[in-house]
Amino acid sequence: MTRLVCARCTAPALLSARYPHTWYNTAGAPVEGIKETVLCGTCDTDDPAAERLLALLAEDGPPQPTRLAGLVADWLTTVRHRTPDSAALAAEESRWRTGDL
């Protein structure tokens, strides 16, 4: 099995969630797809949406399934509606076009 890593820092990811996602192309037509969000114990430590979930995963022993499911649902309610930072995306595209990425 391949170990999941965070795309932001390459540390091992704590969990990954995949869910339906729709966006609209330049013609205004909906495009259906799947979005994946990764929870990282390094990158997400300052994210208020991940705080309680990270605390639960840091506890000794396996978490209670119902508590884990509730906190994952709370986390996804917030993160699934986030959009990319357009300035960071433009900078990354620029680096990609110049061969620096």
Side-chain angles (χ1 to χ4, degrees):
M1 179 182 351
T2 303
R3 185 161 180 118
L4 184 64
V5 297
C6 174
R8 297 168 285 178
C9 71
T10 68
L14 299 175
L15 72 90
S16 172
R18 299 180 86 201
Y19 45 89
H21 178 68
T22 302
W23 67 94
Y24 295 87
N25 64 20
T26 55
V31 179
E32 304 291 332
I34 299 291
K35 188 173 184 179
E36 182 174 33
T37 300
V38 173
L39 179 69
C40 176
T42 302
C43 296
D44 293 322
T45 56
D46 293 331
D47 182 356
E51 183 177 23
R52 293 182 345 174
L53 182 54
L54 288 172
L56 176 67
L57 295 174
E59 292 177 0
D60 288 335
Q64 294 177 329
T66 54
R67 188 168 172 220
L68 177 62
L71 290 177
V72 168
D74 292 347
W75 172 66
L76 282 175
T77 295
T78 300
V79 300
R80 75 182 310 159
H81 298 291
R82 290 183 179 164
T83 57
D85 177 333
S86 58
L89 190 58
E92 185 174 323
E93 179 186 10
S94 177
R95 289 194 317 270
W96 176 78
R97 290 187 182 281
T98 60
D100 294 330
L101 186 61

